[in-house]
Amino acid sequence: MESNRHNTNELNSEELLEIIFDYAAQITTENNVDRLLQLMADMGRKMTLADRCTLWLYDEAKDELWARVAHGLKEVHVPSSVGLAGAVFQSDEPLVIDDAYQDERFHSVIDAQTGYRTKSVMVLPVKNKQNKTIGVYQVINKLTEESVFHSKDLKYLSLAASYTGQALEAMLANIEIEETQKEILFKMGEIGEGRSKETGAHVKRVAEYAKLLALKAGLDEEEAELIKIASPMHDIGKVAIPDVVLNKPGKLTPDEFKMIQKHPKIGYELLNSSKRTILQTAAIIADQHHERWDGKGYPEGRSGENIHLYGRIVAIVDVFDALGSDRPYKEAWDLERILAYFREEKGRHFDPTLLDIFLAHLPEFLRIKEKYE
Ligand code: C2E
Ligand code: SIN
Ligand code: SIN
Ligand code: SIN
Ligand code: FE
Ligand code: FE
């Protein structure tokens, strides 16, 4: 978001209409939640000639308002009664304030964190079709010389609010669905691991490691997050393996290991039936997480870059976690032993480039390990 702190004149109605048409076209075709929120905030900012605009959404389950604040898409959560945003959410009445620091309801923590200086503020409720308040629009620092908001700004932002209210409601329903899907995936992953007496901590760690390695390998945030969401499912196929095999205290017989080796394909078949991106990604990971760079893995014996990058990423982090954990058949290895194994298996079990990236950032992986022990 660029800011334009030079002298700015109030919009005439033509300019206002232009902004509305411009954003309306984009908003109706945007299906990415973050970009949609960004568009709505930008629209509110432009319509009121504000330096910043934040769209706070109400999370009913947590009784919180949350928003992505300017620059860097950092998510901020506040109790639904806190700050000017909370005051408006509770009272359902708009607020126009010339200097936030003169108002004891103002919550200056965000300024303190960002180094930004809030002065004039205007906040108003955003309602859905049933007239229920689902969030608040907040614009900060009017860019005209006078630098305060007027009733005309309130009118403009109300217009934006009524327009975005419906789009927002549809979007919130989608967020709810997506969050539910993520939770279901995670729970299913836990079931897969739980069958082999592993805790949810394993899937959690593998997910965090996989995202970190994906980012370090140069994938963008969105793709790394996708891998994080999908990777907890890598062992879901273990649900079809008998307990006596999975939880066998000792070494497996060749026949038993053959049974185990079916879990990638079973997982793939379970997940591949859906066309959803998350589940398709999970299917690839389930299928290919036991392939080896040298082609001696299973189920297909793919080698090198014929193994999907996601499979190569999860192979490294899954083994890293498995070796560092107690299993019914083995005790956890110490870090030195794991690293010796990893160096030995570079270019054999593991993609050498990815393994180097992993080792180069080992301290960050160890921090995740500590956090989810
Ligand atoms: P898991 O326990 O989650 O292990 C995942 C992968 O980590 C293993 O895939 C292997 O590549 C690596 N790994 C884990 N422990 C060791 C170890 O002590 N030494 C070495 N060199 N690598 C290790 P893998 O071998 O394809 O096994 C897949 C799954 O089969 C394992 O998942 C586990 O559930 C089961 N499994 C493998 N070996 C045995 C065993 O000897 N006894 C029992 N009860 N289960 C086993
Ligand atoms: C508030 O609404 O008082 C807090 C939000 C902000 O500082 O931008
Ligand atoms: C890669 O997967 O791009 C790396 C190839 C290699 O390390 O040989
Ligand atoms: C890539 O394949 O996109 C680079 C990471 C790797 O070496 O696998
Ligand atoms: Fe596995
Ligand atoms: Fe695993």
Short mmCIF file of all heavy atoms in Angstrom, two decimals, residues 193 234-236 238 260 263-264 286 289-290 298 318, ligand 5:
data_model
loop_
_atom_site.label_atom_id
_atom_site.label_comp_id
_atom_site.label_asym_id
_atom_site.label_seq_id
_atom_site.Cartn_x
_atom_site.Cartn_y
_atom_site.Cartn_z
N GLU A 193 -1.30 -41.29 12.23
CA GLU A 193 -0.12 -41.45 13.07
C GLU A 193 -0.48 -42.14 14.38
O GLU A 193 0.27 -42.94 14.91
CB GLU A 193 0.50 -40.08 13.38
CG GLU A 193 0.96 -39.31 12.16
CD GLU A 193 2.26 -39.84 11.57
OE1 GLU A 193 2.90 -40.71 12.20
OE2 GLU A 193 2.62 -39.39 10.47
N HIS A 234 0.48 -37.38 5.36
CA HIS A 234 1.38 -38.25 4.59
C HIS A 234 1.25 -39.73 4.96
O HIS A 234 1.45 -40.59 4.12
CB HIS A 234 2.84 -37.78 4.71
CG HIS A 234 3.42 -37.92 6.08
ND1 HIS A 234 3.29 -36.94 7.04
CD2 HIS A 234 4.14 -38.91 6.66
CE1 HIS A 234 3.91 -37.33 8.14
NE2 HIS A 234 4.42 -38.53 7.95
N ASP A 235 0.89 -40.03 6.21
CA ASP A 235 0.82 -41.43 6.64
C ASP A 235 -0.61 -41.93 6.82
O ASP A 235 -0.81 -42.96 7.46
CB ASP A 235 1.58 -41.61 7.96
CG ASP A 235 3.06 -41.86 7.74
OD1 ASP A 235 3.44 -42.30 6.64
OD2 ASP A 235 3.84 -41.61 8.68
N ILE A 236 -1.58 -41.20 6.26
CA ILE A 236 -2.97 -41.59 6.47
C ILE A 236 -3.23 -43.04 6.03
O ILE A 236 -4.06 -43.74 6.61
CB ILE A 236 -3.94 -40.61 5.75
CG1 ILE A 236 -5.40 -40.90 6.08
CG2 ILE A 236 -3.74 -40.60 4.24
CD1 ILE A 236 -5.78 -40.58 7.51
N LYS A 238 -1.65 -45.52 6.71
CA LYS A 238 -1.37 -46.48 7.79
C LYS A 238 -2.64 -46.96 8.49
O LYS A 238 -2.59 -47.95 9.22
CB LYS A 238 -0.42 -45.85 8.82
CG LYS A 238 1.04 -45.82 8.39
CD LYS A 238 1.91 -45.24 9.51
CE LYS A 238 3.39 -45.20 9.13
NZ LYS A 238 4.18 -44.47 10.15
N ILE A 260 3.57 -52.71 5.21
CA ILE A 260 3.81 -51.28 5.51
C ILE A 260 3.99 -50.47 4.23
O ILE A 260 3.52 -49.34 4.11
CB ILE A 260 5.06 -51.12 6.40
CG1 ILE A 260 4.84 -51.73 7.76
CG2 ILE A 260 5.47 -49.64 6.46
CD1 ILE A 260 4.60 -50.75 8.86
N HIS A 263 1.33 -48.35 2.48
CA HIS A 263 0.65 -47.16 3.01
C HIS A 263 0.71 -45.93 2.11
O HIS A 263 -0.26 -45.17 2.06
CB HIS A 263 1.06 -46.86 4.47
CG HIS A 263 2.35 -46.12 4.65
ND1 HIS A 263 3.56 -46.76 4.71
CD2 HIS A 263 2.62 -44.80 4.80
CE1 HIS A 263 4.52 -45.86 4.88
NE2 HIS A 263 3.98 -44.65 4.94
N PRO A 264 1.79 -45.73 1.32
CA PRO A 264 1.73 -44.55 0.44
C PRO A 264 0.62 -44.64 -0.61
O PRO A 264 -0.11 -43.66 -0.83
CB PRO A 264 3.12 -44.55 -0.22
CG PRO A 264 4.00 -45.24 0.76
CD PRO A 264 3.14 -46.33 1.33
N ALA A 286 1.47 -38.09 0.18
CA ALA A 286 1.28 -39.44 0.71
C ALA A 286 1.94 -40.46 -0.23
O ALA A 286 2.63 -41.38 0.21
CB ALA A 286 -0.21 -39.74 0.85
N HIS A 289 6.30 -39.77 -0.35
CA HIS A 289 7.20 -39.42 0.75
C HIS A 289 8.20 -40.51 1.11
O HIS A 289 9.14 -40.27 1.86
CB HIS A 289 6.42 -38.95 1.99
CG HIS A 289 5.72 -40.04 2.76
ND1 HIS A 289 4.53 -40.61 2.36
CD2 HIS A 289 6.05 -40.66 3.92
CE1 HIS A 289 4.16 -41.52 3.24
NE2 HIS A 289 5.06 -41.57 4.20
N HIS A 290 8.03 -41.72 0.56
CA HIS A 290 9.03 -42.77 0.80
C HIS A 290 9.86 -43.09 -0.44
O HIS A 290 10.59 -44.07 -0.47
CB HIS A 290 8.37 -44.04 1.34
CG HIS A 290 8.00 -43.94 2.79
ND1 HIS A 290 8.93 -43.80 3.80
CD2 HIS A 290 6.77 -43.89 3.39
CE1 HIS A 290 8.30 -43.70 4.96
NE2 HIS A 290 6.99 -43.75 4.74
N TYR A 298 10.11 -46.53 -2.33
CA TYR A 298 8.85 -47.12 -2.74
C TYR A 298 7.76 -46.05 -2.69
O TYR A 298 7.96 -45.02 -2.07
CB TYR A 298 8.49 -48.31 -1.83
CG TYR A 298 8.34 -47.98 -0.35
CD1 TYR A 298 7.10 -47.64 0.19
CD2 TYR A 298 9.44 -48.00 0.51
CE1 TYR A 298 6.95 -47.35 1.54
CE2 TYR A 298 9.30 -47.71 1.88
CZ TYR A 298 8.06 -47.38 2.37
OH TYR A 298 7.92 -47.10 3.71
N ASP A 318 10.22 -35.88 7.39
CA ASP A 318 9.58 -37.03 8.05
C ASP A 318 10.64 -37.93 8.68
O ASP A 318 10.50 -38.36 9.83
CB ASP A 318 8.73 -37.82 7.04
CG ASP A 318 8.00 -38.99 7.68
OD1 ASP A 318 7.49 -38.83 8.82
OD2 ASP A 318 7.93 -40.07 7.05
FE FE B 5 5.23 -43.00 5.79
#
